[in-house]
Amino acid sequence: MKKNLLSVAVKGALGLTAAAVLIPAMPTIAQENATTVEEVIVTGSRIARDDFSSSSPISTYGSEDLDKAGLASIDEFLKEDPAFTGYQMGTSTNNGSDQGQKKIDMRGLGFNRTLVLINGRRTIGDVNGDGAVDINTVPEAMIERVEVLKDGASTIYGSDALAGVVNFVLKDDFEGFELKGNFGQGTEDGQAQNSGFSMLAGLGSDRGHMLMSLSYSQQDEMYQAERPWATEALYPQLQEDGTFKAVGSGSSNSRKITVPGVGTFIYDEELGKARPFTTEDVYNYAPVNALITPNKRWQFGAIGNVEITDETEGYFEALYTRRTSHQRLAPDASFAVTTVQTPNNGEQMNDFVPASNPYNPFGDNPANDLGISGQDVRVNRRFEESGGRLFTQTADTYRMVAGIRGDFGGIVDWDFSYTFAENQTTDETTNYGRFDRWAIAVDPDACAADPVCAEAGVLNPFGDYRSITQEQMDYLTAGSLKDVYKGRLEMAALNFSGDMFSMPGGTAGWALGLEHRHEQGSYVPDEFISGGLTTGGAGDPQEGDFSVSEVYGEIFLPVLDNLSFNASTRYSDYDTSAGSATTFKVGMDYQPINDLRVRAGISTGFRAPNISELNQGASGGFPIVEPICEFADRRLAAGDISQVAYDNCKALGINTTDAGELGFAWQSYYETSAPEKPLEPEESESFNLGFVYTPSFMENLSFSVDYWNIEIDNVIGAEDINDLHAACMNSVDLSSIACTAFIGGNPYLDVPVDSSDPSLGYMPYPNDASGAFGNLGTLRTDGFDFAAKYQGELSVGPIQGYTLSWTGTLVESYEREFPLAGSRELVGTANGFEVFPEWRWSTNVGIFGDNWTLDWDMRYIDETVDALRPASITDDAVAEDIIYHDLIGSYTWQNINFSLGINNVTDEDAPRFHSAFNANTEPGMYDVIGRRVFTGFTVTF
């Protein structure tokens, strides 16, 4: 029976043909090892081969690479691979996290277009969200290697593998006992401390193996206040000298009083009366937000196989992860979100305060210089007394695989497996305010009629922070709100493979398989959230499922000693609107001379709509919109907007001078409707062409270059409101169809700069908008992957040799196109969570001795320009390029290996750019901890 997954031997052999690789073993070593191993299967193929050739680019990282990096989790390691760009979600994602999950994004095409596997099989993803796999659930203590396939693979694995595949291959033949521990923290004040330990035990005999692991890891919380560049939410404001300076803009949801038809005010305790609200009165929400979110994981795993007969083997995998995590945001406020039915004043906005409130400075007990009394008002009060909004998750994930495999007379290999995986996440939210309780607490008559409110006392929402008592906060807040997410995956697979006939280049191979998969998910929101009774918004329950039956086939044809072809196809049949789909892939591997190998491939792929998308209803949010008409005079003079856009600003009556400055980020309401027609699958076309050069005149040198090109049609989603706004404003007389997305076809609100002076025109406040959700878009991207590695001897004292390696990705283009907004090029831009550098590379310089290593790693991220705000009207429109330096040393004494390292040796700060959403930067792309030391040990018995 042929072995399908090897461990140490495969790591060496894969070094021969990995495409854009950090080659874990040198080519000469790989050739020697190749004679000692049986046929293996690598990611991207189902055919076992003994030459390890692949027409697709693959990077392979061994467990020793992961240990040496000293990072807190595997997702942090992968996001340093230059091919992972765009938006990476992990512990550095606070506002915007998917219930504490960790997700990876290859080529910037989205989490749900990178397929994550464990031992070549699917595992459960975020069934109630985007469908992507939570990397938290991968058993890190059991990882033998990680194979990153940088090519589409829908014909081999089915839906989702549009950008590529990440396959976590687990140890299955380890014998003995292994104990590991690690610790790391920032050097400034011990910030973002992490620690962990794991135990691995394996037994083996002639008839089988059994391996078990237990591990625990902990990442501590780090606040934005712990990094000086993140302590305030910065926003540029115009200075007297004409320059722009970043100042702490904060939020107007502080203690702002809105008097209808008059203006905004705040109650000043020192003056004993209300005065006009100024920019100095905004609330700084930044320091209490988490910059690194806490994460704790317990993981257990067991893998085993047993020989049943000489030709048959049974096997199983059992994995369990218990994760607890939380995100921390600034305290809730009486945000103006919706209307509510008040006890005595009819239907009002949820921030309404009646004139009868004894503390209302414009009410029945006035305290203002305008002579206003008896006036109802609205108050945006920040509940700093609550201590902040906490979102705490407890997630349990089970994954079990049982299978049997064998061969028929040594001619045909077969493998039947059944995978069962289940996930349940309880997301507990605390310290949200209740609309209904606010309406009672601010109304003295209603409060007196409620015994609990009467005991706490009528609320004074106008007072300084900390003036609200604990009894009042207990009454106002909703307590513990619990949402429950459940998901299940069941999959049966039957695979066959074997040899066909002899060809000049070797033996032709084939593979054929049948698969059936069923996924189901449900979301049960807390009753308060379901009813929309808090500022967290409303959430509707969701329940759905789908099934898919698939058949695939693959052939490998070594037509010559130096030329081989492989082809594969898959037919998928869904019981949803995805219907059926057929994909294909053709690849070529050609070695014109001994030193050079050329590879190429073309394929189609698809991504079926997931459960969440199939159940998508109308939804809304408040995205930040860049007002093109703000400072339009300056923008036109700098060439940052077109004459057409400027003329439209003027025609709308917008004040385009400095007098129209907003001074803060504007958020419009953007609602997307449910799909107008059933969703279809996304469809992709991929092409890659590359070579690997291993010159015979320089032993142990390898170099590879790969060109890749991906286009995805029928992209499921909604148009970006900023793209709509730009397309509308850049059309003559606002004639673009994009303008229809805005209320009344007007991209701006009619709000005067000064109601007493109409000649000043209107403020540049972008209007609210609505859009569709469905198969609307197209994504196109292409670029190059590079890799080089050299190992040489160096006999200087204890030094025996050295290694040099370099990997890089150059993105030529990334274009996003939608029907209303048109197309937009994203390479070299940064916006919110998304950063798309043109260049990323990493390099390693290492020396080693008999039992020690010392490595210097460098990681480079190219500069990006703010996608929305031009340099002419901001203090910082560029996320500067940056190089991180890491030093890592290891020493082995008998059966103990020690490691010690420093990440970000030069303590580089994360670069700021104007449109950054979290902490003035993008924590998923850049290092936010600062200089960090780490250590680890491994003891093997």
Side-chain angles (χ1 to χ4, degrees):
M1 185 171 61
K2 300 174 185 176
K3 285 192 72 176
N4 291 335
L5 294 173
L6 303 181
S7 55
V8 178
V10 173
K11 285 190 294 181
L14 284 173
L16 253 178
T17 59
V21 292
L22 275 174
I23 302 174
M26 298 312 297
T28 53
I29 298 174
Q31 290 168 348
E32 293 168 1
N33 286 350
T35 64
T36 66
V37 301
E38 299 178 34
E39 294 182 338
V40 302
I41 291 177
V42 296
T43 302
S45 176
R46 302 277 190 174
I47 299 176
R49 310 175 205 171
D50 60 6
D51 59 358
F52 308 105
S53 61
S54 172
S55 60
S56 298
I58 303 173
S59 293
T60 303
Y61 303 103
S63 58
E64 64 277 6
D65 298 315
L66 310 182
D67 292 340
K68 187 181 73 171
L71 297 170
S73 59
I74 184 64
D75 64 294
E76 296 290 325
F77 178 89
L78 287 174
K79 79 178 188 181
E80 294 183 358
D81 184 315
F84 291 88
T85 190
Y87 171 30
Q88 314 301 322
M89 181 182 291
T91 55
S92 58
T93 308
N94 184 45
N95 192 353
S97 174
D98 289 347
Q99 300 88 45
Q101 298 182 74
K102 300 176 181 178
K103 299 177 180 179
I104 50 179
D105 182 359
M106 194 184 301
R107 309 295 189 200
L109 292 172
F111 305 131
N112 52 7
R113 299 182 185 96
T114 299
L115 181 62
V116 174
L117 307 173
I118 297 178
N119 279 345
R121 299 182 184 88
R122 285 181 178 264
T123 186
I124 192 166
D126 183 7
V127 177
N128 298 289
D130 56 19
V133 171
D134 178 10
I135 306 301
N136 279 302
T137 63
V138 176
E140 296 183 11
M142 303 182 78
I143 293 176
E144 174 70 23
R145 65 184 184 276
V146 185
E147 296 175 3
V148 180
L149 173 66
K150 301 175 182 179
D151 191 14
S154 287
T155 58
I156 302 301
Y157 302 113
S159 179
D160 306 335
L162 304 187
V165 178
V166 177
N167 185 17
F168 295 94
V169 181
L170 307 183
K171 300 174 181 178
D172 65 353
D173 59 357
F174 174 82
E175 295 183 18
F177 182 80
E178 181 181 85
L179 180 66
K180 286 186 178 182
N182 64 80
F183 176 85
Q185 65 177 28
T187 59
E188 185 170 334
D189 58 3
Q191 70 272 21
Q193 186 179 111
N194 72 277
S195 58
F197 75 88
S198 66
M199 296 180 289
L200 184 68
L203 299 172
S205 69
D206 293 339
R207 293 196 57 199
H209 288 84
M210 177 69 179
L211 185 149
M212 300 179 69
S213 76
L214 177 67
S215 64
Y216 173 78
S217 63
Q218 175 174 323
Q219 172 67 65
D220 290 349
E221 188 172 26
M222 174 182 171
Y223 293 88
Q224 286 187 209
E226 296 182 67
R227 301 297 286 164
W229 44 265
T231 55
E232 291 189 284
L234 299 176
Y235 197 86
Q237 292 184 358
L238 182 63
Q239 306 298 297
E240 292 184 359
D241 61 1
T243 63
F244 287 85
K245 178 182 179 180
V247 299
S249 64
S251 168
S252 61
N253 291 293
S254 51
R255 295 189 297 117
K256 184 180 70 175
I257 308 168
T258 300
V259 181
V262 179
T264 57
F265 302 85
I266 190 171
Y267 185 80
D268 192 314
E269 292 281 357
E270 293 184 3
L271 297 177
K273 61 183 178 180
R275 59 168 175 78
F277 187 89
T278 70
T279 56
E280 301 297 320
D281 299 315
V282 296
Y283 180 78
N284 181 16
Y285 56 82
V288 296
N289 282 357
L291 191 54
I292 296 293
T293 62
N295 183 296
K296 297 180 181 180
R297 284 178 297 160
W298 280 100
Q299 293 186 307
F300 170 79
I303 294 178
N305 60 78
V306 61
E307 185 178 300
I308 301 173
T309 69
D310 290 343
E311 293 81 22
T312 308
E313 179 183 75
Y315 61 91
F316 78 94
E317 300 171 14
L319 307 175
Y320 169 70
T321 299
R322 157 62 68 95
R323 166 176 59 88
T324 58
S325 55
H326 83 237
Q327 299 78 48
R328 183 188 301 273
L329 295 180
D332 196 14
S334 54
F335 298 108
V337 175
T338 186
T339 58
V340 297
Q341 190 66 37
T342 65
N344 300 306
N345 295 279
E347 188 171 328
Q348 301 287 349
M349 288 298 296
N350 62 276
D351 57 354
F352 173 83
V353 179
S356 59
N357 184 287
Y359 307 103
N360 183 347
F362 298 93
D364 297 341
N365 298 310
N368 65 83
D369 292 332
L370 301 179
I372 299 175
S373 64
Q375 177 69 58
D376 300 332
V377 298
R378 294 169 57 186
V379 180
N380 300 133
R381 173 59 150 85
R382 183 74 65 161
F383 302 125
E384 191 175 77
E385 293 84 354
S386 71
R389 289 165 287 176
L390 290 179
F391 309 85
T392 303
Q393 300 85 36
T394 301
D396 294 290
T397 303
Y398 308 82
R399 181 180 184 268
M400 289 162 279
V401 178
I404 186 170
R405 58 194 170 205
D407 63 70
F408 297 127
I411 300 174
V412 176
D413 288 339
W414 59 271
D415 186 328
F416 174 78
S417 65
Y418 171 75
T419 302
F420 177 88
E422 196 169 63
N423 173 271
Q424 176 171 313
T425 301
T426 300
D427 191 1
E428 180 180 4
T429 303
T430 54
N431 298 331
Y432 263 140
R434 288 179 55 173
F435 296 152
D436 56 339
R437 291 288 182 84
W438 166 277
I440 295 172
V442 297
D443 185 330
D445 294 332
C447 185
D450 185 319
V452 180
C453 182
E455 184 176 350
V458 177
L459 181 67
N460 175 14
F462 309 95
D464 279 346
Y465 298 127
R466 301 298 171 184
S467 64
I468 299 178
T469 67
Q470 185 60 51
E471 292 77 15
Q472 290 173 324
M473 285 308 308
D474 292 342
Y475 182 78
L476 283 172
T477 55
S480 174
L481 308 177
K482 293 184 179 180
D483 298 339
V484 179
Y485 302 80
K486 293 181 179 181
R488 175 179 292 183
L489 175 146
E490 295 179 83
M491 181 172 177
L494 177 61
N495 301 300
F496 301 93
S497 64
D499 298 336
M500 289 193 294
F501 44 77
S502 295
M503 300 185 72
T507 302
W510 64 275
L512 179 69
L514 303 170
E515 296 177 352
H516 180 79
R517 175 164 48 98
H518 178 75
E519 294 190 28
Q520 64 186 74
S522 66
Y523 162 60
V524 181
D526 186 276
E527 60 177 330
F528 280 100
I529 293 177
S530 180
L533 299 176
T534 73
T535 54
D540 295 325
Q542 173 181 287
E543 186 168 4
D545 68 329
F546 70 83
S547 293
V548 56
S549 297
E550 300 177 285
V551 58
Y552 75 90
E554 181 185 8
I555 59 172
F556 170 66
L557 302 174
V559 296
L560 298 172
D561 286 340
N562 63 343
L563 176 64
S564 64
F565 293 92
N566 65 280
S568 55
T569 186
R570 174 179 287 253
Y571 174 77
S572 305
D573 185 19
Y574 282 78
D575 65 353
T576 67
S577 61
S580 60
T582 301
T583 55
F584 75 87
K585 184 172 185 177
V586 178
M588 179 270 294
D589 189 271
Y590 176 52
Q591 192 167 5
I593 59 176
N594 287 335
D595 296 355
L596 179 67
R597 189 171 68 82
V598 181
R599 54 174 165 234
I602 185 170
S603 65
T604 61
F606 79 103
R607 186 183 74 83
N610 57 48
I611 292 174
S612 178
E613 292 165 337
L614 290 169
N615 289 274
Q616 179 74 30
S619 63
F622 293 88
I624 293 174
V625 183
E626 173 63 20
I628 290 176
C629 292
E630 184 188 23
F631 295 120
D633 290 353
R634 289 176 177 266
R635 294 183 194 238
L636 184 66
D640 293 326
I641 61 171
S642 65
Q643 185 66 49
V644 170
Y646 182 80
D647 291 344
N648 284 330
C649 293
K650 285 295 188 181
L652 290 169
I654 305 296
N655 190 317
T656 57
T657 70
D658 293 349
E661 178 184 17
L662 269 66
F664 57 89
W666 179 265
Q667 292 175 277
S668 295
Y669 181 70
Y670 182 39
E671 180 174 271
T672 57
S673 62
E676 294 181 358
K677 57 183 180 179
L679 294 177
E680 300 175 355
E682 298 180 348
E683 299 175 345
S684 70
E685 294 183 359
S686 301
F687 171 74
N688 70 81
L689 174 64
F691 68 85
V692 179
Y693 184 52
T694 54
S696 55
F697 61 83
M698 186 173 291
E699 187 178 1
N700 294 338
L701 172 66
S702 62
F703 179 72
S704 69
V705 179
D706 286 278
Y707 170 76
W708 45 269
N709 184 300
I710 305 170
E711 178 173 332
I712 305 174
D713 296 315
N714 278 347
V715 170
I716 299 172
E719 304 213 28
D720 183 271
I721 190 172
N722 279 289
D723 291 350
L724 291 170
H725 183 256
C728 176
M729 291 302 299
N730 281 288
S731 64
V732 176
D733 297 327
L734 305 180
S735 58
S736 170
I737 191 174
C739 296
T740 62
F742 296 90
I743 295 177
N746 186 350
Y748 283 88
L749 297 169
D750 294 331
V751 178
V753 173
D754 187 341
S755 58
S756 64
D757 187 357
S759 66
L760 294 178
Y762 297 117
M763 288 294 293
Y765 294 151
N767 206 345
D768 295 339
S770 61
F773 180 89
N775 294 103
L776 302 177
T778 298
L779 299 175
R780 303 182 188 91
T781 183
D782 71 304
F784 294 87
D785 289 332
F786 304 89
K789 184 168 184 177
Y790 179 71
Q791 179 174 311
E793 296 180 355
L794 184 64
S795 298
V796 178
I799 303 175
Q800 297 180 352
Y802 64 95
T803 60
L804 305 172
S805 68
W806 179 81
T807 62
T809 293
L810 170 65
V811 184
E812 287 282 292
S813 175
Y814 187 152
E815 184 181 2
R816 179 175 64 201
E817 182 177 351
F818 279 86
L820 299 186
S823 63
R824 180 170 188 171
E825 177 60 56
L826 299 177
V827 169
T829 68
N831 176 23
F833 293 99
E834 299 177 325
V835 181
F836 299 102
E838 183 178 9
W839 263 107
R840 284 190 69 187
W841 54 257
S842 61
T843 187
N844 167 267
V845 177
I847 56 176
F848 59 88
D850 182 52
N851 60 348
W852 61 272
T853 65
L854 181 62
D855 291 274
W856 171 31
D857 294 341
M858 288 180 285
R859 298 171 280 130
Y860 173 77
I861 303 173
D862 202 0
E863 75 170 27
T864 52
V865 177
D866 197 286
L868 302 180
R869 193 83 165 182
S872 60
I873 57 169
T874 185
D875 67 299
D876 196 341
V878 177
E880 293 79 6
D881 59 350
I882 193 166
I883 297 180
Y884 296 108
H885 299 267
D886 306 323
L887 290 175
I888 309 104
S890 69
Y891 177 77
T892 300
W893 178 71
Q894 295 183 0
N895 63 329
I896 306 175
N897 177 267
F898 302 94
S899 62
L900 178 67
I902 306 176
N903 295 132
N904 193 359
V905 174
T906 55
D907 198 18
E908 300 293 331
D909 289 337
R912 174 179 175 264
F913 59 96
H914 173 88
S915 298
F917 184 76
N918 277 327
N920 305 311
T921 187
E922 174 32 41
M925 174 67 71
Y926 302 106
D927 184 312
V928 295
I929 297 175
R931 185 186 297 114
R932 172 180 173 272
V933 296
F934 64 89
T935 185
F937 70 87
T938 301
V939 183
T940 305
F941 301 95

